[in-house]
Amino acid sequence: MYGLVNRALAEMVTADHGAEVWQEIKDASGIDVGEFHAMMPYPDEVTVGLIGAASARLQVSPSVVLRALGAYWIRYTAKEGYGDLLQLAGGSFPAFLQNLDAMHARVGLSFPELQPPSFRCTDVTEASLIFHYYSERSGLTDMVLGLLEGLGQLFSLDVSITPLTLKDAGADHDTFHVTYAPL
Ligand code: HEM
């Protein structure tokens, strides 16, 4: 994945635990990279290794790290110059979720090797929808939960998410029942 993702993880861990802890995590994952370049693609194994090492060092499950990273991603991209893309993506939470593929297509103009996820919303009402997540990757379900929570914060909504089907459990793709109400 592009270094932007690894940079977000670095910044999140450093903000919460300090630069030394982040260095220990990088050392433990065996990655000999000083700073990640946002616009450079790195093997997915690099990100997976960092998540695993962060989980071990911080003594939380990889799910907890991924979920926190998902929520952090919304704040991080907004301040790293992608705020306009976030704004363009839609004026409401459900509109935003329905525009995610178009948004990643725009992201792909700057990141030519992007392998973006794909999302679909069905059964959309004023207070709930079914959110479908498709990816060439696996293991990122918890990041999607965090992303939805981060978007809830962005739109000042109380969001609850119930997984319905999971690719990890043999389903074709992940689906979530998502409900949202004003805070
Ligand atoms: C302007 C904001 C955003 C930018 C710049 C952005 C950019 C990116 C980039 C660079 C990647 C790495 C993919 C690769 O390198 O192949 C990625 C992956 C991903 N993005 Fe976004 N993204 C944004 C917002 C969002 C939002 C709001 C969601 C909410 C669901 C989202 C969901 C994901 C997921 C789940 C992945 C993991 C890749 C996968 O599942 O295969 N992104 N995005």
Side-chain angles (χ1 to χ4, degrees):
M1 287 205 270
Y2 272 97
L4 190 69
V5 177
N6 302 329
R7 284 182 76 90
L9 182 64
E11 193 177 294
M12 180 182 83
V13 170
T14 305
D16 289 349
H17 304 281
E20 262 179 41
V21 171
W22 174 245
Q23 188 60 50
E24 285 171 33
I25 289 168
K26 260 195 320 186
D27 292 347
S29 71
I31 292 155
D32 188 16
V33 173
E35 289 241 334
F36 291 98
H37 297 284
M39 311 293 277
M40 188 188 281
Y42 295 85
D44 282 4
E45 292 72 38
V46 171
T47 311
V48 172
L50 289 168
I51 299 283
S55 148
R57 174 62 181 81
L58 303 175
Q59 296 187 305
V60 294
S61 68
S63 302
V64 166
V65 178
L66 279 169
R67 198 159 178 155
L69 179 63
Y72 189 73
W73 185 246
I74 305 298
R75 300 202 296 281
Y76 181 77
T77 48
K79 81 175 179 57
E80 288 299 308
Y82 302 98
D84 287 357
L85 274 179
L86 285 173
Q87 290 222 316
L88 274 174
S92 72
F93 179 69
F96 191 100
L97 295 184
Q98 291 174 84
N99 264 324
L100 278 169
D101 284 11
M103 194 212 69
H104 277 106
R106 277 194 293 269
V107 171
L109 300 175
S110 322
F111 295 81
E113 290 179 49
L114 193 75
Q115 293 173 270
S118 179
F119 302 96
R120 195 161 57 91
C121 298
T122 55
D123 305 272
V124 182
T125 74
E126 272 176 23
S128 71
L129 52 77
I130 309 287
F131 191 56
H132 301 252
Y133 163 51
Y134 305 84
S135 172
E136 294 169 16
R137 304 178 170 95
S138 52
L140 296 176
T141 300
D142 291 295
M143 185 177 167
V144 174
L145 298 180
L147 283 158
L148 289 169
E149 286 162 356
L151 286 173
Q153 286 165 16
L154 187 71
F155 285 97
S156 303
L157 294 173
D158 180 19
V159 169
S160 2
I161 311 150
T162 312
L164 299 176
T165 64
L166 294 174
K167 202 167 85 168
D168 284 352
D172 172 68
H173 64 280
D174 289 355
T175 55
F176 310 93
H177 184 239
V178 183
T179 63
Y180 36 94
L183 273 176

